[in-house]
Amino acid sequence: MLEQIVKFFIVFFVVVEPLSIVPAFSSLTNGASEDYRRRMALKAVAVAAAILLLFALMGISIEAFRIFGGLLLFLIALEMVFARESGTRTSTDERAESRRRADISVFPLAFPLIAGPGALVTVLLWVGPVSVTEHPVLFAGFAASAALVLLVTLGMMLIAGPLMRAVGITGANVANRLFGVVLGALSVQFVLDGLRSSF
């Protein structure tokens, strides 16, 4: 059980990519007051948590979805490794809309940057098959892991300014690529598990 929780934490951390959210958050709140930045960060994490919890309670457990989820995570991993701008997170129109909005917490921070397709698929693949009533400890472990990742994300957004100066864009890109390799391997495992169960 502990091994499953640790694996889920690693996958979820890699998919959410708290470090990669820092440049986006810093750019979206550039020139804003500290109070505004704090409010947007807190609201974004709260909304993302609600979205993820909703998906966790759906209880979807379909092998075809496991394969599709693995493929989607693999595409996200490729984008991370090759440092491409993620089309799985935001489209050009969505980015343009985010620049016009005063409240950036729900869109694009909570969705799709924090609780994006990768994070939702990860929650469905890992937490979906786990019944709250039959395996309450495992479910609680997964929930605690997700909460920890969201807290790390919140912390990184709150210290976005100093963090960007310390790490720099190059440092963030290097970490992103390393996480992409790990995610790629885990996504292939999801596909193999789905195919094995199907056939």
Side-chain angles (χ1 to χ4, degrees), residues 152-188:
V152 171
T153 305
L154 174 63
M156 288 193 168
M157 284 193 289
L158 292 176
I159 59 165
L163 196 60
M164 280 302 291
R165 287 192 293 272
V167 176
I169 293 178
T170 304
N173 285 339
V174 169
N176 219 18
R177 289 181 182 193
L178 289 174
F179 287 149
V181 172
V182 174
L183 182 60
L186 290 167
S187 64
V188 169

Side-chain angles (χ1 to χ4, degrees), residues 122-146:
T122 302
V123 167
L124 283 171
L125 290 176
W126 286 81
V127 188
V130 178
S131 170
V132 188
T133 51
E134 292 178 22
H135 306 284
V137 177
L138 183 59
F139 190 90
F142 285 153
S145 296

Side-chain angles (χ1 to χ4, degrees), residues 70-71 73-74 182-195:
L71 292 172
L73 291 180
F74 185 72
V182 174
L183 182 60
L186 290 167
S187 64
V188 169
Q189 188 62 54
F190 273 128
V191 174
L192 292 175
D193 290 345
L195 290 171

Side-chain angles (χ1 to χ4, degrees), residues 20 23-25 27-29 79 84-104 107-109 111-113:
S20 74
F25 179 75
S27 171
L28 289 167
T29 57
E79 290 174 344
R84 292 177 182 156
E85 190 169 351
S86 181
T88 58
R89 286 189 175 227
T90 53
S91 68
T92 307
D93 291 339
E94 288 171 335
R95 284 192 296 275
E97 184 185 350
S98 74
R99 285 192 282 270
R100 293 194 298 270
R101 296 171 71 106
D103 188 338
I104 57 159
F107 173 84
L109 286 179
F111 183 84
L113 287 176

Side-chain angles (χ1 to χ4, degrees), residues 31-100:
S33 68
E34 200 58 43
D35 178 61
Y36 173 83
R37 292 162 71 95
R38 188 166 42 253
R39 274 190 298 111
M40 291 301 101
L42 287 166
K43 189 176 175 184
V45 169
V47 171
I51 293 169
L52 292 165
L53 181 62
L54 178 67
F55 268 71
L57 295 174
M58 281 183 171
I60 297 172
S61 177
I62 304 166
E63 295 310 323
F65 188 81
R66 181 180 290 270
I67 295 168
F68 173 74
L71 292 172
L72 180 59
L73 291 180
F74 185 72
L75 289 175
I76 293 169
L78 285 178
E79 290 174 344
M80 291 168 68
V81 170
F82 294 110
R84 292 177 182 156
E85 190 169 351
S86 181
T88 58
R89 286 189 175 227
T90 53
S91 68
T92 307
D93 291 339
E94 288 171 335
R95 284 192 296 275
E97 184 185 350
S98 74
R99 285 192 282 270
R100 293 194 298 270

